Amino acid sequence: MPPLPADYPLPVMIVVHVPPDRRNALTELFQTRCAMAVREAEDKEPIAPGVIYFAPPDYHLLVESPAFLSLSTDEPVLHSRPSIDVLFESAADAFGEALVGVILTGANQDGAEGLRAVGEAGGLAVVENPVGAAASAMPEAALAAWPEARVMTLEEIGAYLRNLGNKR
């Protein structure tokens, strides 16, 4: 995916299924390759534009309001903590039609119900084309839950997000 610029005006929140006893190496990798600021989210942290927030291992990441993130150790969802569903459902409540939810490759159904919540709140649901995904189960489940989602390649998703930032 083409990189987002350092002055990207929107926050980005990412959930990756990482075992609870491991650190998320993607946070460090993104820090070295992204122009945007990258960090693990902290409980009650204010949401800042132009920052990529990763859910810490073994914590659900939630949008508490349009202004704050929160972390939770509630039960796993579909054997996942952090859960994409938890993030998307809370973000849909907080941001409504201003939200873009993106589901990429994955090997389970986490994110499908959350993406439906994004769509039902009037937000834009985007799914990586399952044909090109490394693991198609997650994109396929998301499309089954919200058939109205836009299907795009990784390159198209990157371009779409960059263009969305240019409109802000």
Side-chain angles (χ1 to χ4, degrees):
M1 180 181 321
L4 298 175
D7 62 349
Y8 193 69
L10 304 171
V12 176
M13 292 146 220
I14 299 176
V15 170
V16 178
H17 298 137
V18 178
D21 59 341
R22 295 213 175 132
R23 64 179 176 72
N24 186 348
L26 286 178
T27 304
E28 293 172 12
L29 180 65
F30 271 52
Q31 286 171 338
T32 64
R33 297 191 178 182
C34 292
M36 293 175 64
V38 179
R39 61 176 171 255
E40 258 188 17
E42 294 185 17
D43 194 38
K44 309 303 182 208
E45 179 172 4
I47 298 172
V51 177
I52 298 171
Y53 298 96
F54 275 93
D58 209 26
Y59 286 91
H60 292 303
L61 175 61
L62 297 95
V63 177
E64 192 169 289
S65 71
F68 291 95
L69 297 172
S70 65
L71 301 178
S72 163
T73 56
D74 287 347
E75 290 299 311
V77 174
L78 297 171
H79 309 286
S80 298
R81 187 174 61 212
S83 166
I84 301 163
D85 283 333
V86 170
L87 173 60
F88 279 3
E89 289 166 1
S90 65
D93 287 343
F95 293 116
E97 62 186 32
L99 180 64
V100 177
V102 179
I103 294 288
L104 301 177
T105 186
N108 69 22
Q109 295 180 325
D110 185 29
E113 291 305 311
L115 196 69
R116 180 195 330 253
V118 170
E120 289 176 348
L124 179 63
V126 176
V127 175
E128 178 183 4
N129 190 329
V131 174
S136 63
M138 196 172 289
E140 288 170 350
L143 287 169
W146 192 252
E148 295 90 342
R150 290 187 186 184
V151 178
M152 300 181 191
T153 65
L154 287 177
E155 293 77 19
E156 291 168 335
I157 293 169
Y160 177 79
L161 293 175
R162 270 195 325 279
N163 290 337
L164 184 65
N166 291 335
K167 294 177 184 177
R168 301 285 170 150

